[in-house]
Amino acid sequence: MLTFWRVFQLQIFYHARLREAASLEKHVLLKKLRDALESLKGRVAGRNKDDVQEAIAMVESLAVQLTQREGELIQEKAEVKKLTNFLKQASADAKKLVDEERAFARSEIDNARAAVQRVEEALQEHERMSRASGKQDLEQLMKEVQEARRIKMLHQPSKVMDMEYELRALRAQLEEKSRHYLRLQKELARTKKGEENIPHLYELEGTEALGSYLQIQPCSDNAHELLKCSIQWYRVSPEGAKKELISGASKSVYAPDPFDVGRTLQVDIISESLQITLSTTGPIDPAAGLGTYVEALVRKHDTEFNVVVTQINGSHHPNESIHLLHVGKMRMKLCKGKTTIAKEYYSSSMQLCGVRGGGNAAAQALFWQPKQGLSFVLAFESVRERNAAIMLARRFAFDCNIILAGPDHIAPIEK
């Protein structure tokens, strides 16, 4: 049996050895520990010697396990490196594909914009020529034009129809390319965030440009019904520092307003168990040629738009007769025939914005409140005229030191 003093000396010896081995590698440490135990084995006898022998066996087993573990780590490191190289290659291939698709889509969009610009220039040239020849006999000119159209349709009806079909096909292809481009952007953004394997319940569909509309679409069987969710749209400044609540925009469909151009749109979908925020892939693009069209209208003292009144003071208006909306430099006026429905000068109580909600027709309608207690929802003949009317009225109002905004305009929310 070991004496107390001998045990104390052994403990001191072990502690000194351990301090000496603290800076050594694991294998060296195990070897030194085994040598120390072998040395101790020769100094003890009886049961203590058996304990030392058992400790030596445990150290040898630990050395074997350490060797095996290091081998496994080396193999895992090789597998991780291989996977990293694969992911890098996949990311490079995806980026190359996105760049190619983006370049192709931009080329298609530029070609379409150039075509629209040529048509607008031709229309403006035609308008100038019409004014220059205004002294001619109007009735004779109308007869000649009608006769020319009749002869053209008699001799080239198929050519005209073919051109119309070709234009429709080109528009459809451009829209499909734009949707494909947006899908690729969203997939790339999710890949960068590491969310490609995370299931998404909803997504935004639609062209992210003025003149279109965005719609929330469920993309999973686990998505809650939108009618049972709370929805709110926001516009975010280009630098992303502030976002502004769009009052009244609480539907699953939202048509961008000219005020949204250059800003990113976000929408919150809130249910009892979750809150999801969706965002456009980038700022809302302007409508091609709209700025030039508005600049031409600014030079006029008064511009008329054909509209249909769909709501008065929030109530449905069943009469779908054509009205005239006059946008002038000092005031706006709504008429039906010779009857004036509303006429107001630009003021701080006047409100004007795109309709916030309303399905697919939202892109062609606007909300106008001439004064407190009187409001209209007006539907235009085209998306172009709706946006032109908003931009023109805001331009004239700004010249009168008035800022036209939507209902209950709210200041930006600090993030």
Side-chain angles (χ1 to χ4, degrees), residues 113-232:
R113 287 176 176 172
V116 172
Q117 184 67 28
R118 289 195 296 270
V119 172
E120 288 185 351
E121 292 175 355
L123 289 174
Q124 293 176 2
E125 181 66 23
H126 177 71
E127 185 178 354
R128 287 193 293 269
M129 292 176 63
S130 298
R131 291 177 180 175
S133 60
K135 296 181 180 180
Q136 297 179 3
D137 188 354
L138 183 58
E139 291 185 1
Q140 182 64 29
L141 184 60
M142 290 294 292
K143 290 180 181 179
E144 290 178 0
V145 171
Q146 290 175 358
E147 183 65 16
R149 288 177 177 173
R150 187 184 67 83
I151 293 173
K152 183 178 179 180
M153 290 301 294
L154 286 174
H155 289 83
Q156 294 181 327
S158 59
K159 185 176 181 179
V160 174
M161 295 296 291
D162 290 343
M163 291 178 64
E164 290 181 355
Y165 289 138
E166 184 176 354
L167 285 173
R168 291 177 184 174
L170 287 173
R171 291 192 189 99
Q173 290 179 11
L174 182 60
E175 292 177 357
E176 181 60 27
K177 291 290 184 183
S178 298
R179 287 193 293 268
H180 184 58
Y181 171 67
L182 288 175
R183 284 197 297 269
L184 288 175
Q185 278 192 318
K186 292 177 181 178
E187 291 174 4
L188 181 60
R190 287 198 293 266
T191 301
K192 288 182 177 179
K193 294 179 181 179
E195 298 176 354
E196 62 272 16
N197 296 323
I198 300 177
H200 287 74
L201 301 179
Y202 306 92
E203 63 181 5
L204 283 180
E205 287 191 355
T207 305
E208 298 176 356
L210 185 63
S212 64
Y213 65 91
L214 299 172
Q215 186 171 12
I216 304 171
Q217 287 288 0
C219 54
S220 171
D221 294 334
N222 297 326
H224 294 183
E225 188 175 353
L226 290 175
L227 293 176
K228 299 180 181 178
C229 298
S230 175
I231 298 173
Q232 179 60 57

Side-chain angles (χ1 to χ4, degrees), residues 5-291:
W5 176 249
R6 184 59 179 167
V7 172
F8 180 74
Q9 287 180 330
L10 287 174
Q11 287 180 345
I12 295 175
F13 174 77
Y14 291 154
H15 284 301
R17 289 288 185 174
L18 288 174
R19 283 196 301 271
E20 179 183 354
S23 61
L24 299 178
E25 295 292 338
K26 295 179 181 178
H27 286 289
V28 176
L29 180 63
L30 290 174
K31 184 176 183 304
K32 285 184 174 291
L33 180 59
R34 186 181 184 283
D35 293 341
L37 291 172
E38 286 287 352
S39 176
L40 181 63
K41 179 181 176 182
R43 300 178 186 179
V44 296
R47 184 175 179 181
N48 291 330
K49 185 173 185 179
D50 294 338
D51 293 341
V52 172
Q53 182 65 37
E54 183 178 353
I56 292 173
M58 291 176 63
V59 169
E60 292 176 348
S61 175
L62 183 60
V64 173
Q65 292 179 7
L66 180 61
T67 302
Q68 292 176 349
R69 181 57 181 165
E70 287 182 347
E72 292 174 357
L73 290 175
I74 293 173
Q75 185 176 0
E76 289 178 0
K77 185 176 179 180
E79 292 294 332
V80 170
K81 186 175 181 181
K82 185 186 299 183
L83 180 59
T84 302
N85 294 334
F86 175 77
L87 290 176
K88 286 182 179 179
Q89 184 63 38
S91 178
D93 294 342
K95 184 178 180 181
K96 181 179 179 181
L97 177 61
V98 169
D99 290 341
E100 292 177 354
E101 291 292 336
R102 181 182 297 169
F104 182 73
R106 285 178 177 173
S107 176
E108 293 288 333
I109 292 172
D110 290 341
N111 292 336
R113 287 176 176 172
V116 172
Q117 184 67 28
R118 289 195 296 270
V119 172
E120 288 185 351
E121 292 175 355
L123 289 174
Q124 293 176 2
E125 181 66 23
H126 177 71
E127 185 178 354
R128 287 193 293 269
M129 292 176 63
S130 298
R131 291 177 180 175
S133 60
K135 296 181 180 180
Q136 297 179 3
D137 188 354
L138 183 58
E139 291 185 1
Q140 182 64 29
L141 184 60
M142 290 294 292
K143 290 180 181 179
E144 290 178 0
V145 171
Q146 290 175 358
E147 183 65 16
R149 288 177 177 173
R150 187 184 67 83
I151 293 173
K152 183 178 179 180
M153 290 301 294
L154 286 174
H155 289 83
Q156 294 181 327
S158 59
K159 185 176 181 179
V160 174
M161 295 296 291
D162 290 343
M163 291 178 64
E164 290 181 355
Y165 289 138
E166 184 176 354
L167 285 173
R168 291 177 184 174
L170 287 173
R171 291 192 189 99
Q173 290 179 11
L174 182 60
E175 292 177 357
E176 181 60 27
K177 291 290 184 183
S178 298
R179 287 193 293 268
H180 184 58
Y181 171 67
L182 288 175
R183 284 197 297 269
L184 288 175
Q185 278 192 318
K186 292 177 181 178
E187 291 174 4
L188 181 60
R190 287 198 293 266
T191 301
K192 288 182 177 179
K193 294 179 181 179
E195 298 176 354
E196 62 272 16
N197 296 323
I198 300 177
H200 287 74
L201 301 179
Y202 306 92
E203 63 181 5
L204 283 180
E205 287 191 355
T207 305
E208 298 176 356
L210 185 63
S212 64
Y213 65 91
L214 299 172
Q215 186 171 12
I216 304 171
Q217 287 288 0
C219 54
S220 171
D221 294 334
N222 297 326
H224 294 183
E225 188 175 353
L226 290 175
L227 293 176
K228 299 180 181 178
C229 298
S230 175
I231 298 173
Q232 179 60 57
W233 293 80
Y234 301 86
R235 60 173 66 95
V236 183
S237 59
E239 64 276 9
K242 298 179 180 179
K243 72 176 183 179
E244 176 183 344
L245 184 145
I246 306 175
S247 179
S250 57
K251 307 294 183 183
S252 61
V253 175
Y254 178 74
D257 181 286
F259 198 70
D260 298 323
V261 172
R263 305 186 185 190
T264 302
L265 294 179
Q266 288 184 358
V267 57
D268 287 345
I269 306 169
I270 304 173
S271 64
E272 296 179 355
S273 58
L274 55 83
Q275 176 176 343
I276 296 175
T277 298
L278 303 178
S279 177
T280 55
T281 57
I284 299 299
D285 293 327
L290 181 60

